[in-house]
Amino acid sequence: MSVALPAQMTHDLDIGSAEEARVAVARAPHLSAILWLIDAASSRATHTRFESEVAKAAGPRSRPAWEALGIRGLDRIPNCLVPIEGGGETTVAECVTALRDSSGDELSAEVNALWGSQPPLPWRLAADRPRRWLAAFAEALSNVWSVTSSLWHANQNVVDHEIGRVGIAVVTGSVPELLNNLHTRLAYENGVLQLANTCERGSQLSTRKLVLAPLIVPTERVIVSFDHPQVAYIAYRALASHLSPLNPERVGSDRLSVMLGPVRAAALRGVARPRTMGELAQLLQCAPSTTTYHCDHLERAGLIVRERRHHCVWVSRTATADRLVELLAA
């Protein structure tokens, strides 16, 4: 699993047609908690108030385990530390139980696969005494969650909006745009999703699901696993969670733009009464071809209809779109 940092090389995931890929979304509070731990371990000299609280909560007994996450330049951690399913929610309690019940064999094997026979010093205990290391890591995660779970729950409106944004992108055929707007280190082009990373690798999505997990974190880090046997997943900061988790606020009221993107949201609002394609292009300040591109997706999703009358094509909203706009404006 990669914790992306700036790099010149890429880890590529060949997903083929984004519109045909099996995309799912997951609530993953344990991944937010793990990223809080990573940030606390990575910035010991310049702790924010929140990171200091996380470090304090993790506890001294588990320090050898969670501080291993903060090695300077670390961009990989074992997959077994972040179990995730193909959708739905993986709770922190389930993650902690899985870590404590593990035999440790998988952790030893992954550490050796990542770093060979000479892993970085903080990870040698993980390779040599994996069950002890996993117990310490599980304790840190459980301790941190006991004092931060309220932050996750207080920001569920952010998670809900991001889940809605993903869902709308899937039904409107906007998955390529979605993938290109998840994170600055991710780019989708010609069927390949690229992660800027410190190693050159390639993977195939094949029949696996591509699981997106929005996080409530102030960090710019992104967690990905393109090599997980059951799923490929991306855990990233939810669109509106640039807010500090210590200071949760309400998301802005323009939920339609959050879910559809600003151009398609404007198009849907613009055809509250029927307009010609030319009028709509002027309203959106887009080229006619760009307007047609966005309308194609909205029409496939059942949100608009187009009708030719004489020399003009008229666009109007469907009843489904009316309900969607009304719901998101409430």
Side-chain angles (χ1 to χ4, degrees):
M1 185 197 73
S2 296
V3 182
L5 298 167
Q8 296 300 315
M9 294 182 284
T10 61
H11 186 175
D12 296 347
L13 178 66
D14 187 346
I15 67 175
S17 170
E19 289 87 350
E20 297 176 6
R22 298 170 62 211
V23 178
V25 65
R27 294 180 188 271
H30 66 305
L31 294 182
S32 286
I34 287 171
L35 265 187
W36 296 340
L37 268 173
I38 291 174
D39 283 340
S42 300
S43 53
R44 289 190 294 271
T46 57
H47 269 165
T48 65
R49 176 189 164 198
F50 179 66
E51 290 163 352
S52 296
E53 291 288 337
V54 170
K56 181 180 178 181
R61 291 196 308 175
S62 63
R63 186 177 296 276
W66 66 266
E67 283 197 341
L69 304 177
I71 301 173
R72 185 180 296 276
L74 179 72
D75 70 339
R76 295 167 291 172
I77 62 175
N79 276 315
C80 63
L81 300 185
V82 284
I84 191 166
E85 302 298 330
E89 178 172 353
T90 302
T91 68
V92 175
E94 290 169 338
C95 180
V96 168
T97 298
L99 292 168
R100 287 173 173 162
D101 290 346
S102 173
S103 68
D105 294 341
E106 187 177 358
L107 176 60
S108 290
E110 285 200 65
V111 170
N112 290 329
L114 288 172
W115 292 294
S117 59
Q118 293 295 323
L121 183 60
W123 287 94
R124 290 180 192 172
L125 178 62
D128 297 339
R129 304 185 68 178
R131 293 203 67 181
R132 177 177 175 180
W133 194 96
L134 286 169
F137 184 68
E139 178 181 346
L141 194 60
S142 181
N143 290 345
V144 166
W145 188 246
S146 68
V147 299
T148 60
S149 59
S150 60
L151 304 177
W152 169 263
H153 296 301
N155 282 281
Q156 284 310 288
N157 59 330
V158 177
V159 177
D160 290 341
H161 288 181
E162 186 64 17
I163 289 173
R165 187 172 79 104
V166 173
I168 292 292
V170 171
V171 300
T172 59
S174 307
V175 175
E177 292 89 342
L178 175 72
L179 295 178
N180 275 314
N181 286 280
L182 286 183
H183 195 275
T184 56
R185 295 181 190 128
L186 287 164
Y188 174 78
E189 186 176 10
N190 298 326
V192 176
L193 184 62
Q194 294 185 325
L195 168 73
N197 206 0
T198 57
C199 61
E200 197 85 31
R201 301 183 62 188
S203 305
Q204 294 278 340
L205 181 62
S206 188
T207 59
R208 295 179 296 164
K209 285 183 180 178
L210 176 61
V211 176
L212 306 180
L215 305 179
I216 301 300
V217 291
T219 181
E220 282 290 346
R221 296 179 192 271
V222 57
I223 298 179
V224 306
S225 177
F226 292 164
D227 301 315
H228 191 285
Q230 280 80 44
V231 299
Y233 71 84
I234 305 168
Y236 61 99
R237 187 175 71 180
L239 188 66
S241 70
H242 59 281
L243 306 171
S244 167
L246 283 176
N247 184 30
E249 300 177 18
R250 292 186 61 83
V251 183
S253 59
D254 190 9
R255 294 186 288 179
L256 190 66
S257 292
V258 171
M259 293 184 179
L260 286 179
V263 176
R264 290 177 196 173
L268 211 54
R269 290 194 181 96
V271 292
R273 65 168 180 81
R275 293 181 187 270
T276 67
M277 286 291 288
E279 290 173 337
L280 184 57
Q282 287 185 329
L283 178 68
L284 299 177
Q285 296 183 326
C286 288
S289 59
T290 303
T291 303
T292 299
Y293 170 78
H294 289 293
C295 284
D296 287 345
H297 285 291
L298 291 171
E299 189 170 42
R300 282 200 294 269
L303 298 177
I304 64 168
V305 292
R306 285 178 285 188
E307 181 184 3
R308 178 171 289 279
R309 302 177 194 167
H310 304 294
H311 299 295
C312 296
V313 175
W314 288 79
V315 188
S316 57
R317 282 197 324 223
T318 64
T320 299
D322 288 338
R323 289 194 298 271
L324 178 66
V325 173
E326 181 180 1
L327 172 66
L328 296 182

